[in-house]
C-alpha cells in the first residue's frame, strides 16, 4: 500500500476502509441503534455511565449564564444537566452529526420540558459550523473515537472555544491493569454483542463499538493530540481502572 493509499483510508473497527466509506458506516451504526441507545448504555455499563458523566460535569466548571457545546451529544443526557446549570441566561447547544440521534435527543428533552435555553445543530466535529471564540465549555462524550479526522476535530473545537474555555473529552480508553484488560476484552467481544443482539437486534453495531474502542488512542496519546491542537494544561482522569478516561484541557 502506498502513502497515498494510506492517507485515503482509515479504520472502521478492525476493518480498513476509505474515509468516505467510514462516515457512511458510522452513520448506519447510529441510525440503527438510536432508539435503544439509552437503554443499551444502562445495560452495557451497568448504569455506571451516569457516574462517569456526573464526574465530567463536576470537572467542567460550568456556571450560570455560560454557553456550552455538547458535541456528539446524542440523546442529550449532558445537555439536560447543563441546561439547568447555565439557567435562563445561558445557552446549551446539542450537536450531533447523526440525524437520528439528534432527533431522539430533541424529542427526549422536549418531553422533559427542556426548551428555552437549548438549541439543536446537526454538525460534523471536524468542521464545526460556529463562530470562533463563542463557547465557555465544549464537552464530547463517547464520540471522538467515531470521528475520522480526530486531529482536525480537536482543532475545530479549539477555534470554537473562548480564551479561558475548557474542553472535556469523555471516552473509553485503555485499562491500566492486565487482569482487568483481559476481563474487559472478554466482556466486550463476547457479552456485549449478545446484549446488542437481544435488546437492539443488532450485534454488528455493538461489535463495532468494541473494536472502535481498541483502535482509539490511549490516554497519553490522546493527551498529546490535544496539546498538538493548541490546548494548554491537558490532564486526564482514569475511571473504572482506565476503562474510561476524562481528558480536560484549556484554551489560554
Amino acid at each position: 500500500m502506498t502513502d497515498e493509499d494510506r492517507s485515503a483510508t482509515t479504520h472502521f473497527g478492525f476493518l480498513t476502509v476509505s474515509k468516505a466509506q467510514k462516515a457512511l458506516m458510522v452513520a448506519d451504526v447510529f441510525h440503527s441503534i438510536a432508539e435503544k441507545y439509552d437503554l443499551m448504555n444502562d445495560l452495557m455499563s451497568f448504569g455506571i455511565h451516569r457516574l462517569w458523566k456526573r464526574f465530567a460535569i463536576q470537572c467542567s466548571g460550568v456556571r450560570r449564564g455560560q454557553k456550552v457545546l455538547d458535541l456528539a451529544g446524542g440523546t442529550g443526557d449532558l445537555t439536560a444537566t447543563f441546561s439547568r446549570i447555565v439557567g435562563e441566561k445561558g445557552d446549551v447547544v446539542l450537536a450531533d452529526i447523526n440525524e437520528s440521534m439528534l432527533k431522539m435527543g430533541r424529542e427526549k428533552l422536549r418531553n422533559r420540558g427542556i426548551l428555552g435555553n437549548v438549541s439543536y445543530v446537526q454538525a460534523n466535529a471536524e468542521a464545526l459550523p460556529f463562530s470562533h471564540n463563542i463557547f465557555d465549555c465544549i464537552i464530547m462524550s463517547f464520540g471522538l473515537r467515531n470521528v475520522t479526522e480526530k486531529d482536525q476535530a480537536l482543532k475545530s473545537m479549539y477555534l470554537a472555544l473562548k480564551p479561558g474555555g475548557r474542553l472535556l473529552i469523555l471516552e473509553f480508553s485503555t485499562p491500566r491493569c492486565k487482569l482487568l484488560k483481559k476481563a474487559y476484552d472478554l466482556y466486550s467481544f463476547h457479552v456485549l454483542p449478545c446484549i446488542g443482539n437481544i435488546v437492539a437486534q443488532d450485534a454488528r453495531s455493538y461489535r463495532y463499538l468494541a473494536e472502535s474502542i481498541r483502535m482509539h488512542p490511549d490516554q497519553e496519546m490522546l493527551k498529546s493530540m490535544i496539546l498538538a491542537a493548541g490546548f494548554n494544561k491537558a490532564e486526564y482522569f482514569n475511571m473504572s481502572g482506565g476503562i474510561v478516561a476524562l481528558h480536560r484541557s484549556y484554551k489560554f
Side-chain angles (χ1 to χ4, degrees):
M1 182 180 291
T2 66
D3 290 340
E4 184 177 353
D5 291 334
R6 291 190 185 93
S7 67
T9 60
T10 186
H11 56 81
F12 176 80
F14 292 160
L15 298 175
T16 299
V17 299
S18 71
K19 290 181 178 179
Q21 187 180 10
K22 175 176 179 175
L24 295 173
M25 294 171 78
V26 170
D28 285 343
V29 166
F30 285 94
H31 283 311
S32 174
I33 68 176
E35 291 188 4
K36 300 290 186 178
Y37 185 79
D38 288 335
L39 174 60
M40 282 298 298
N41 276 352
D42 279 329
L43 290 174
M44 68 185 187
S45 75
F46 307 102
I48 300 174
H49 75 98
R50 299 176 185 274
L51 300 179
W52 298 332
K53 292 174 181 175
R54 185 182 304 169
F55 179 71
I57 291 166
Q58 291 171 351
C59 290
S60 72
V62 168
R63 303 186 302 277
R64 294 187 69 81
Q66 292 193 324
K67 189 175 182 70
V68 177
L69 173 61
D70 182 7
L71 185 56
T75 56
D77 287 345
L78 292 171
T79 292
T81 301
F82 281 122
S83 173
R84 292 193 296 270
I85 293 173
V86 302
E88 294 180 0
K89 294 184 178 181
D91 294 289
V92 183
V93 178
L94 172 58
D96 202 292
I97 194 172
N98 188 276
E99 182 181 3
S100 297
M101 294 294 290
L102 197 61
K103 180 181 178 182
M104 292 298 298
R106 184 188 297 113
E107 289 179 357
K108 186 173 82 171
L109 295 181
R110 288 181 176 177
N111 288 340
R112 293 173 60 179
I114 300 172
L115 298 171
N117 63 356
V118 175
S119 56
Y120 305 87
V121 177
Q122 187 171 359
N124 185 339
E126 297 171 16
L128 293 173
F130 306 111
S131 301
H132 295 181
N133 307 315
I134 65 167
F135 292 105
D136 296 286
C137 178
I138 296 177
I139 186 165
M140 192 174 196
S141 174
F142 303 111
L144 186 62
R145 71 180 185 281
N146 298 309
V147 174
T148 302
E149 302 287 358
K150 296 178 178 61
D151 292 322
Q152 185 59 41
L154 291 168
K155 291 176 182 176
S156 186
M157 294 180 225
Y158 179 86
L159 292 174
L161 270 177
K162 293 178 181 178
R166 298 164 303 284
L167 171 70
L168 293 106
I169 303 290
L170 181 65
E171 189 56 270
F172 292 108
S173 200
T174 304
R176 302 290 84 188
C177 170
K178 289 183 179 180
L179 186 60
L180 176 60
K181 187 177 185 302
K182 288 182 179 179
Y184 183 48
D185 284 345
L186 179 65
Y187 172 76
S188 299
F189 290 108
H190 298 282
V191 178
L192 183 57
C194 289
I195 298 174
N197 188 47
I198 294 169
V199 177
Q201 289 78 53
D202 189 351
R204 179 183 62 87
S205 292
Y206 287 94
R207 191 173 297 110
Y208 159 73
L209 170 65
E211 293 177 0
S212 69
I213 293 169
R214 300 317 184 276
M215 300 302 291
H216 187 66
D218 67 12
Q219 290 90 327
E220 283 294 329
M221 177 63 74
L222 182 54
K223 178 180 176 180
S224 297
M225 293 169 65
I226 292 170
L227 291 171
F231 289 94
N232 307 93
K233 195 185 173 184
E235 57 187 339
Y236 61 83
F237 308 90
N238 284 321
M239 292 177 277
S240 301
I243 288 174
V244 166
L246 174 69
H247 284 73
R248 179 172 64 179
S249 53
Y250 302 85
K251 176 179 177 178
F252 291 143

